[in-house]
C-alpha cells in the first residue's frame, strides 16, 4: 500500500540523534568534536530492505565507487590505487594525485537535485513519489543523557540511519564520477579509465598531467556545486609518485 499510494507513515520520518565524542582529549565543548549517531524506526528499516530487494538494479553506482556495495571495500580501492601507481612508475611516468573530501556530504545533499537524479535514472515513479513524501516529513530529536530536544525538520541531506541512504548517496557521487569519466581526463590502463577512485565521500583524482588534473578539479567543483556539496580545502592535498616525485609543481585550485 505504501508503494501504491506513495505515502509513508509520519513515524517513518522521525529519528533520534545521539552525539558521540570523537576525541575525548579534544575540546568537548566544540560541536565539531561530536559525531551524530542516528537511530531510525526499525519498521522503516524493514521497509527499506523491501524496496532495496525489489529495486536494487536501479540503485547501481559506478565501478570506481568502492563504498556501500557488495563485494567491494577499502582493500579493493587500495589495490586499484597501487596498481595504477605501479603501472605508471614502472613505465617511467609520474602519477599526480589529489585527495578530496566532501565536507559533511551526507548532510548537504539537496533533496530536489537528488530526486531529479533519480528521475534521470528512470527509477519507477511510485518509488520517487514515495521518497519525496518520506523526505518531506523528516524530523529529528537530539537525545543527551536523560533529556531530548524538541523535534526539528531536516530540509537537506540524505536520510540518516536508513538502509537505502548509502545507495542514494552513491548515486549523488556518481554525477561527479560520470563527469570525470566523460571528460576522459586522468589515468588509463589498457583502455580502462581509472581517473578517480571514490570511497563514499572521499575522492582521489589520478592523472599523468598537471594540466589535466586542474581541469578535473574544475569539473569536480562544478558537479559538486550542482549537488550543493562543498569540498573541504583543509583536508584536500596534492601528492605525486614516480620519476618526477621531487619536482616543484604549481599550486592547483
Amino acid at each position: 500500500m505504501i508503494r501504491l499510494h506513495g505515502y509513508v507513515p509520519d513515524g517513518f520520518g522521525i529519528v533520534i540523534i545521539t552525539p558521540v565524542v570523537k576525541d575525548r582529549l579534544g575540546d568537548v565543548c566544540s560541536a565539531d568534536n561530536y559525531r551524530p549517531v542516528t537511530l531510525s524506526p526499525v519498521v522503516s528499516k524493514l521497509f527499506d530492505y523491501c524496496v532495496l530487494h525489489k529495486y536494487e538494479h536501479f540503485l547501481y553506482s559506478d565501478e570506481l565507487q568502492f563504498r556501500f556495495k557488495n563485494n567491494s571495500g577499502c582493500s579493493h580501492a587500495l589495490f586499484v590505487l597501487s596498481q595504477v601507481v605501479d603501472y605508471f612508475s614502472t613505465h617511467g611516468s609520474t602519477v599526480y594525485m589529489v585527495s578530496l573530501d566532501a565536507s559533511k556530504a551526507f548532510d548537504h545533499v539537496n533533496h530536489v537535485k537528488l530526486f531529479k537524479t533519480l528521475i534521470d535514472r528512470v527509477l519507477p515513479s511510485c518509488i520517487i513519489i514515495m521518497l519525496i513524501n518520506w523526505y518531506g516529513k523528516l524530523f529529528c530529536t537530539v537525545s543527551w543523557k536523560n533529556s531530548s530536544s524538541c523535534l526539528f525538520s531536516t530540509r537537506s541531506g540524505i536520510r540518516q540511519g536508513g538502509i537505502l541512504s548509502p545507495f542514494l548517496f552513491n548515486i549523488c557521487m556518481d554525477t561527479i564520477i560520470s563527469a570525470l569519466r566523460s571528460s576522459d581526463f586522468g589515468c588509463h590502463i589498457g583502455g580502462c579509465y581509472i581517473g578517480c577512485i571514490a570511497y563514499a565521500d572521499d575522492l582521489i583524482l589520478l592523472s599523468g598531467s598537471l594540466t589535466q588534473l586542474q581541469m578535473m578539479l574544475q569539473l569536480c567543483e562544478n558537479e559538486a556545486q550542482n549537488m550543493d556539496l562543498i569540498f573541504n580545502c583543509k583536508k584536500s592535498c596534492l601528492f605525486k609518485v614516480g620519476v618526477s616525485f621531487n619536482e616543484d609543481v604549481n599550486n592547483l585550485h
Side-chain angles (χ1 to χ4, degrees), residues 199-212:
Y199 193 78
D201 58 344
D202 295 309
L203 189 67
I204 294 181
L205 309 180
L206 305 98
S207 175
S209 163
L210 281 171
T211 301
Q212 284 195 6

Side-chain angles (χ1 to χ4, degrees), residues 194-250:
I194 318 178
C196 68
I197 296 175
Y199 193 78
D201 58 344
D202 295 309
L203 189 67
I204 294 181
L205 309 180
L206 305 98
S207 175
S209 163
L210 281 171
T211 301
Q212 284 195 6
L213 192 58
Q214 178 63 72
M215 295 178 180
M216 295 169 72
L217 281 170
Q218 189 62 52
L219 273 173
C220 289
E221 182 180 6
N222 294 340
E223 292 300 323
Q225 287 179 349
N226 289 336
M227 297 300 294
D228 286 356
L229 299 178
I230 300 173
F231 289 113
N232 189 340
C233 297
K234 293 181 180 180
K235 292 185 178 181
S236 301
C237 63
L238 166 68
F239 52 106
K240 50 190 182 297
V241 179
V243 294
S244 303
F245 73 93
N246 58 350
E247 71 176 0
D248 293 331
V249 297
N250 295 326

Side-chain angles (χ1 to χ4, degrees), residues 60-61 65 105-106 108-111 113-115 117-118 121 157-158 165-178 200 223-224 226-227 229:
Y60 60 88
S61 57
Q65 171 63 263
F106 266 69
H108 286 166
V109 173
N110 185 297
H111 290 170
K113 294 175 181 178
L114 168 63
F115 300 140
T117 303
L118 296 179
R121 282 285 184 97
I158 300 295
S165 299
F167 295 87
L168 297 178
F169 181 76
N170 274 358
I171 290 176
C172 294
M173 290 296 293
D174 245 21
T175 60
I176 298 176
I177 300 174
S178 296
E223 292 300 323
N226 289 336
M227 297 300 294
L229 299 178

